[in-house]
Structures are given as structure tokens and as C-alpha cells.
Amino acid sequence: MEFRSDLQVLVIGAGPSGLVSLKTLRQMGIDAVAIDRNPNVGGNWDITSPHSSVYESTHLISSKGMTQFSDFPMPESFPEYPCHHEVLAYLRFYAERFDLDRFVRIKTSIVSLKKQESHWEAELARGDGSSNTKEKFAAVVIANGHHAQPLMPDLPGNFTGELIHAHDYKHHRQLEGKRVLVVGAGNSGCDIAVEAAIHGKQAAISMRRGYHFFPKFIRGKPADVVGDRLRRWPIPRSLQKRVAQLAVDWTIGKPQRYGLPAPDHKLFETHPIINSQLPYYAGHGKLGVFPDIRRLDGEMVEFTDGRREAFDLIVCATGYQLVFPFASPELLNVQNGVPRFYLHAFHPHDDSLFVAGMIQPNSGQWPLTDLQAQMIARFLKSWRDKTPGADWFRQQKQGHGIGIPSRNHFLATARHRLEVDYFEYRKILTDLIRKFDRVS
């Protein structure tokens, strides 16, 4: 398939990943358009969207300095960890600054995506009730995110109280006067558990394993900014980890001192839990700590250690499904439920299909998606113009395997199937872009 310059590139989604992809493609001189099913840009950060997983108290868990796009800093008036209203405003300022709104078709969903001999065929549905249309595109960048389809656990037994997913949690008023159990100790689960400890009649959390907890600040500086500086030190990685562990032990201390389970893994082998309040409330007896659920029995919950406790509300903070309902698994090179792309972004064999933002880093995601977009735009421009860079990168993505290198330091769990080390991934993409520019 040749790149057809008479056709546009389709970007699916107008959240952070879609906006930076659209902006970068257009800056590179590539005709591109984005679609989004919501009435405005912003994606998951628009709490008014029925597809959003944001709740009233949501803030960034990565600092603004490590989250913002390099060519569009967040306002100085924003706190180090902006709330969702500020994040949404920033994204809309971004779209306005780069004149993206006129290239985004809002209230437009993708029904199906099919590969034809010389182009992509996308069936689109508009929210105004008009008939679906089929349009042709030269290439496709999927940027629809991976926090929209809740993943509910299979809990044996029957629960007579209220059982919801964290996706359906929007404000602390849902917790007031209730005995609340949060299942799952990811960042959202820990946030909701803290709110339950403050606003609920009784609060508890069910944790499958122990985790390391990180503070948001270390001596007044955002923890990820401190980590970025540490990673730049010219010392062995093993020593960097020891320094980081000492910093965490000094600021928060070991989880078991608060009545939390001891981690069964080393620091950085799981996605970090950025929350110093959960140990605080657990240590004050305001938050009960339980292992996995064995079974549900009316209002009672039986845990694997034999304890039984009554609850009115169970909030399952158990993650999200990675779904692309508009495309067949074969099209996306899906293996074990995950599209297998080079660096999670570049289809190893199809030069016209990409996914932006299909990663979960241990710091801000947007700068990494920005680098993905820069590489996507460079490749498409080189392919269109028939310059050497396209052939060089084609060999890279076909010959260097799928996923990312050096993943062995993450636990082999479903939670980490998209996990990347922010600093390592940033370096890999930055080096690729430099090499590509030299070749071109």
C-alpha cells in the first residue's frame, strides 16, 4: 500500500493523545482530522462525559512539570498537581493555541475500521442522528485511551448492598453514612479509600498484595521531579534504586508499620502508588485493611484470611479493559488481549496504522505520547515523500520485536501489560527521533 497524499490521516479521539497527534501531524504538513464521540475536546478529563473515569477530587498523580507538553507549559498559577478542571482547561487552551478545534469532528464515533487495498475505510456515526457515513483515509492513529471500559472482578456469592466500579464513582457524597469497601489498591482505589475514611461511616480496602507507597512531595518538591533528577545522576541504576528506597523510607516509612501488608516485590517492580494519605488513615485506624475477597454473603464479605465484615457499598477499583470495538483483533495484531505494536505505538507490519498513548508510565504520559506523535508524523511524511527515513524506520519496527525492551523488571501481571519506565521509554524514543533525522 502506497501513502495516498490525496487522503487525510484519521486520528481517533480528541483527548491528550489525540490532540497532540493531530497537532504534530498538521505541523509536519500532513492533512489530518480527528473525531471524538464527546461534545468537546478533552477526552477522559471532561467529568461531564458519560465515558469519563474522573471523579470530583481527581488530581494529576504526576506533577505538571512532568505532564505538560514541552511546547505548551501549564500556567504558573496552576498548582504542582492540578485538579481535573484545570487539566481540562489546559487541554482546551492547547487546542485553541494550535488551532485544532476546526480539525476535530465532535459528536462523531467510529463504528468500524477496515483495511482496503489502497486505503482505510472508516464507518462514522454522528450524534445528530443522521445516517452513518463511510470515508477513506490514508492512515489511522488510534488515540481513544484505555480508561473507558470498566473491568469488574468475578466475586463469588451474592452481595445485597451496592456494588459499583470506580468508573461510576463521581463524588464523596456517594460514600456518606455507608460502610464502604474498596477493592483494589491502584492509585484510584487508594484515593477513593481515603475519601471513604473521611466521609464514610466505616471504610476498608481489600489489597491483593502489598505495595510501596510514594509521597507526592519530597522536601517540598514533586516526587517525580526529584526522581527525574536522580535518574540523571551518573551512578549505577542499582544505586539509584537504593537512594530512592531510602527517600521513601524516610518520608513515609515501610507500609507494614501502618498495618498494611508488606510488599512482596522490590521498589519499581510495580506501578507506584502515589499516596501518602492512605498509610496515614490506615495507621489511625480509620481504614481497615483486608486481603482478597473469598466470597460475598448478603451484606457480609468473607476474606481469604477468614475475617467477615458487613458493608453497604463495594467500589471495585479493578482497572479497565483494553478495547477497540471498531477493529478486528487480527487488524490490530492482538495477542493475549493486547495489540502487539513496536514500542506499543507502531504496527510492526502495517505502515499506516498506529496507536498513540497505549502506555502506562511511572510518571507523566503526555510527553511520551508527544514523542510517539513526533515519530509517527516523521515516518508518514518520509513515506509520503519517499525519503530514506521511512525505509530505515520500517526495518526498526519490523526487526526489533514488539512491545518494549527490558520489561523484566515489572511484575508479570495484567496491571503491567502496558507499563513502561518513563525515563527509559523517553530515551528510546528520543534516540529514535535523532537517528531518524540523521538518516533522512
Side-chain angles (χ1 to χ4, degrees):
M1 175 177 164
E2 291 295 320
F3 184 91
R4 289 187 57 178
S5 56
D6 62 317
L7 297 179
Q8 291 179 314
V9 173
L10 174 65
V11 178
I12 301 173
S17 298
L19 290 175
V20 72
S21 298
L22 177 65
K23 170 253 188 186
T24 308
L25 287 165
R26 298 203 66 87
Q27 283 185 335
M28 283 277 183
I30 297 171
D31 188 13
V33 63
I35 61 170
D36 198 285
R37 60 187 174 182
N38 292 307
N40 293 290
V41 301
N44 189 48
W45 289 97
D46 184 355
I47 195 172
T48 64
S49 167
H51 312 292
S52 173
S53 60
V54 165
Y55 38 93
E56 282 186 358
S57 60
T58 299
H59 286 68
L60 287 175
I61 60 169
S62 55
S63 67
K64 68 177 183 180
M66 298 292 287
T67 305
Q68 64 195 7
F69 295 118
S70 60
D71 57 354
F72 192 72
M74 289 189 183
E76 290 187 8
S77 61
F78 278 18
E80 290 292 352
Y81 294 93
C83 70
H84 65 91
H85 290 299
E86 292 164 322
V87 174
L88 180 61
Y90 169 77
L91 291 173
R92 292 182 176 170
F93 291 152
Y94 181 85
E96 181 180 348
R97 165 65 180 81
F98 294 106
D99 194 24
L100 300 179
D101 287 316
R102 64 194 183 103
F103 302 109
V104 178
R105 303 183 197 172
I106 59 174
K107 297 182 181 179
T108 303
S109 303
I110 183 159
V111 178
S112 67
L113 184 65
K114 296 179 180 179
K115 181 69 178 290
Q116 306 296 348
E117 186 174 342
S118 62
H119 62 271
W120 287 93
E121 181 183 88
E123 182 180 353
L124 305 178
R126 290 177 173 80
D128 58 7
S130 59
S131 300
N132 293 359
T133 60
K134 292 184 179 180
E135 299 185 30
K136 298 178 181 179
F137 294 94
V140 178
V141 180
I142 300 172
N144 64 326
H146 49 90
H147 290 99
Q149 185 68 37
L151 177 63
M152 287 294 288
D154 183 15
L155 300 175
N158 295 297
F159 182 60
T160 55
E162 185 181 5
L163 178 65
I164 66 172
H165 190 272
H167 180 79
D168 302 311
Y169 174 74
K170 294 301 174 185
H171 48 75
H172 68 77
R173 295 177 295 282
Q174 294 171 254
L175 311 173
E176 291 175 352
K178 297 178 181 178
R179 299 166 295 180
V180 182
L181 172 67
V182 177
V183 180
N187 284 298
S188 294
C190 289
D191 283 349
I192 297 170
V194 167
E195 294 209 343
I198 298 172
H199 300 285
K201 179 180 179 182
Q202 178 184 331
I205 187 169
S206 169
M207 303 175 63
R208 178 173 296 179
R209 57 162 44 92
Y211 290 100
H212 298 273
F213 288 82
F214 280 67
K216 279 195 166 182
F217 294 94
I218 296 177
R219 295 185 60 82
K221 296 288 185 182
D224 56 0
V225 173
V226 175
D228 188 38
R229 293 174 181 173
L230 175 61
R231 289 293 289 268
R232 296 176 190 272
W233 288 4
I235 59 176
R237 182 77 178 101
S238 59
L239 185 55
Q240 290 178 351
K241 289 183 178 181
R242 289 180 61 188
V243 172
Q245 183 68 70
L246 287 172
V248 172
D249 289 346
W250 181 259
T251 54
I252 292 184
K254 297 186 182 302
Q256 51 268 40
R257 292 178 180 172
Y258 299 90
L260 295 163
D264 59 357
H265 54 277
K266 296 180 181 178
L267 192 65
F268 302 123
E269 288 184 347
T270 62
H271 193 73
I273 308 301
I274 314 298
N275 193 312
S276 55
Q277 290 183 296
L278 188 135
Y280 174 90
Y281 283 102
H284 281 75
K286 294 287 289 181
L287 180 69
V289 181
F290 294 88
D292 264 346
I293 294 174
R294 177 177 290 158
R295 63 188 297 269
L296 306 176
D297 183 15
E299 68 173 8
M300 303 299 294
V301 178
E302 181 178 329
F303 299 92
T304 54
D305 62 359
R307 285 183 288 172
R308 288 170 58 87
E309 195 82 29
F311 294 98
D312 305 304
L313 170 66
I314 298 177
V315 182
C316 296
T318 46
Y320 293 83
Q321 300 179 56
L322 186 63
V323 293
F324 304 92
F326 48 81
S328 68
E330 296 77 18
L331 199 65
L332 295 173
N333 196 34
V334 171
Q335 299 175 27
N336 297 321
V338 180
R340 305 302 289 177
F341 282 30
Y342 175 54
L343 298 178
H344 293 310
F346 311 96
H347 195 293
H349 307 297
D350 192 321
D351 294 338
S352 59
L353 183 61
F354 312 87
V355 181
M358 192 178 63
I359 51 174
Q360 181 168 303
N362 49 3
S363 188
Q365 177 176 316
W366 303 353
L368 302 184
T369 310
D370 192 344
L371 291 172
Q372 290 177 341
Q374 291 181 41
M375 192 64 246
I376 292 168
R378 279 170 165 80
F379 174 70
L380 287 177
K381 184 176 185 295
S382 178
W383 181 23
R384 181 194 66 187
D385 298 342
K386 297 180 171 58
T387 60
D391 288 335
W392 175 83
F393 187 68
R394 191 174 291 115
Q395 293 174 6
Q396 296 295 310
K397 67 191 186 76
Q398 290 178 357
H400 285 73
I402 52 180
I404 62 168
S406 305
R407 280 188 51 89
N408 294 333
H409 54 280
F410 294 123
L411 289 186
T413 65
R415 186 177 181 222
H416 297 96
R417 57 188 177 176
L418 301 179
E419 191 78 16
V420 299
D421 179 83
Y422 175 94
F423 311 96
E424 177 187 84
Y425 192 81
R426 181 178 63 183
K427 184 178 187 306
I428 291 172
L429 276 175
T430 301
D431 289 346
L432 270 176
I433 291 170
R434 287 200 190 103
K435 291 176 182 176
F436 183 94
D437 288 346
R438 286 199 299 267
V439 171
S440 296

